[in-house]
Amino acid sequence: MAPRQQRLESELRVLQEAVASAVHELSQPLNVVNLMADNALEDAAALQAAGVPDTAVVGNLQRRIETIVEHAEKASDITRWIRAFAVGLDGEAAPFDPGRVIERVVGIFANDLRVAGIELAGDGATGVCWALGNEALLGFALTETVLWLSEFSSRSRATMQGPPSRAPRRIDIGCKSDSVSGSIVVTVAAEGVTSPTAAVAALPGVQDGAARTRLPPDLPLLALAGRNNGCHVSFSRPGSGKLAIRISLPNGAA
């Protein structure tokens, strides 16, 4: 093994250990927050049932606690996702809900990208489709793809320093069952992107409207997701400034 490859693998192991430790430390207070919020909600419900006169105060308390629960659950979901990276992305395939993964990715990045003039939307209703594969890997692949499409490391971050200087771009993530192929298809459709589209066009054998399976080197996690058994990833360019990515996964309900 080349020295550079050995160094990279060593650094990755250290990073994985650090992430696992951070997730463990974060999980403990989140568990306490969830427990205390649940207890407070039960107390608020008991007060309302007992006919406490100031129902408005109790109602406001309940809404605030529900907000705490919502955000704590989101944070817990993120820690589970990060933990999957810490233990590795090559686990056995299992049924999972792609709609939940899409909801998570959109929930994490939508607000920041909106400030940058990029609309990120998800159309993968939870509980509608079940795929067979690695849930964490799909989440990381979608994250990598969204950040790549939004050019997060360059123009988008610069745009975040002030009002958007151009018309909003849009990224839509969807999920549906394909009855023809018997698979679950996750799609990422981007409109108004420039550099990523050019990067795809620069690869050999790519023409407008043609689907292709060779991925840009900037998307290693998406490529890894496409190499799993029964999975398939392709790009197409339906029009100027548009890019479509299709991730086909085995049907977990079959």
Side-chain angles (χ1 to χ4, degrees), residues 13-133:
R13 283 194 297 271
V14 171
L15 176 60
Q16 288 178 321
E17 291 174 3
V19 168
S21 176
V23 166
H24 175 73
E25 295 299 322
L26 180 59
S27 295
Q28 303 309 311
L30 282 175
N31 291 337
V32 174
V33 168
N34 281 323
L35 177 61
M36 298 303 294
D38 286 341
N39 291 340
L41 281 174
E42 292 175 0
D43 291 344
L47 287 173
Q48 284 184 320
V52 176
D54 199 344
T55 56
V57 173
V58 177
N60 289 334
L61 172 64
Q62 185 172 2
R63 283 190 292 275
R64 287 195 294 270
I65 297 171
E66 287 172 347
T67 300
I68 293 173
V69 172
E70 177 186 350
H71 286 275
E73 287 178 347
K74 181 181 292 186
S76 297
D77 200 24
I78 293 171
T79 60
R80 286 193 294 272
W81 187 14
I82 297 175
R83 186 183 293 114
F85 168 74
V87 301
L89 295 173
D90 54 355
E92 294 184 1
F96 70 94
D97 181 1
R100 182 170 176 80
V101 177
I102 294 171
E103 184 181 74
R104 179 193 304 142
V105 171
V106 172
I108 293 172
F109 296 107
N111 287 337
D112 285 342
L113 293 181
R114 186 175 298 113
V115 173
I118 304 165
E119 292 297 325
L120 175 63
D123 189 23
T126 59
V128 175
C129 299
W130 285 87
L132 184 64

Side-chain angles (χ1 to χ4, degrees), residues 118-194:
I118 304 165
E119 292 297 325
L120 175 63
D123 189 23
T126 59
V128 175
C129 299
W130 285 87
L132 184 64
N134 189 315
E135 177 178 359
L137 179 55
L138 177 64
F140 284 120
L142 289 178
T143 297
E144 174 185 70
T145 302
V146 166
L147 297 183
W148 180 72
L149 288 170
S150 65
E151 304 166 88
F152 197 78
S153 61
S154 55
R155 275 187 287 179
S156 292
R157 279 188 177 172
T159 310
M160 284 184 183
Q161 305 306 317
S165 59
R166 52 179 170 162
R169 291 171 289 165
R170 184 173 181 85
I171 301 172
D172 292 283
I173 310 176
C175 176
K176 65 179 181 180
S177 177
D178 187 343
S179 58
V180 176
S181 63
S183 60
I184 303 301
V185 178
V186 176
T187 56
V188 183
E191 185 170 1
V193 297
T194 53

Side-chain angles (χ1 to χ4, degrees), residues 213-253:
T213 56
R214 183 178 175 185
L215 307 184
D218 296 333
L219 300 173
L221 291 173
L222 184 62
L224 180 61
R227 289 196 295 268
N228 279 0
N229 290 336
C231 298
H232 179 77
V233 177
S234 65
F235 276 77
S236 63
R237 298 174 59 207
S240 177
K242 296 182 180 180
L243 185 64
I245 301 170
R246 175 185 170 100
I247 307 169
S248 179
L249 304 164
N251 195 323

